[in-house]
Amino acid sequence: MANLCEVCGKGELSGNNVSHSHLKTRRSWKPNIQRVRALVEGEVKRVNVCTRCLRSGKVERAI
């Protein structure tokens, strides 16, 4: 599944794991993306949406 929200564009971020000895290794933070059935321009489509957009009401879910 793509790690990109089709509504807000939220995607994967990268950074470092930092150990107690201050060694750094690369890591990533992935958004919580759900594949849901939603109303898009009057028709039902499957879209990849982050949970923040679902909770805030930016997406109208199809029943």
Side-chain angles (χ1 to χ4, degrees), residues 1-2 6 12 15-16 18 20 24-25 40-41 43-45 54 58 62-63:
M1 183 180 296
E6 295 179 17
E12 187 173 334
N16 290 320
V18 182
H20 180 70
K24 297 181 180 83
T25 56
V40 179
E41 298 173 1
E43 58 187 47
V44 177
K45 289 188 176 180
L54 284 173
K58 292 182 181 178
I63 297 173

Side-chain angles (χ1 to χ4, degrees), residues 12-18 24-31:
E12 187 173 334
L13 294 174
S14 61
N16 290 320
N17 274 329
V18 182
K24 297 181 180 83
T25 56
R26 298 300 283 178
R27 64 155 294 177
S28 61
W29 287 267
K30 295 182 180 178

Side-chain angles (χ1 to χ4, degrees), residues 5-57:
C5 177
E6 295 179 17
V7 175
C8 65
K10 183 185 288 185
E12 187 173 334
L13 294 174
S14 61
N16 290 320
N17 274 329
V18 182
S19 68
H20 180 70
S21 63
H22 216 65
L23 289 172
K24 297 181 180 83
T25 56
R26 298 300 283 178
R27 64 155 294 177
S28 61
W29 287 267
K30 295 182 180 178
N32 190 356
I33 302 292
Q34 306 291 320
R35 188 156 175 83
V36 297
R37 292 174 68 234
L39 285 174
V40 179
E41 298 173 1
E43 58 187 47
V44 177
K45 289 188 176 180
R46 288 198 181 272
V47 290
N48 294 322
V49 183
C50 68
T51 52
R52 180 58 61 97
C53 289
L54 284 173
R55 286 172 52 192
S56 65

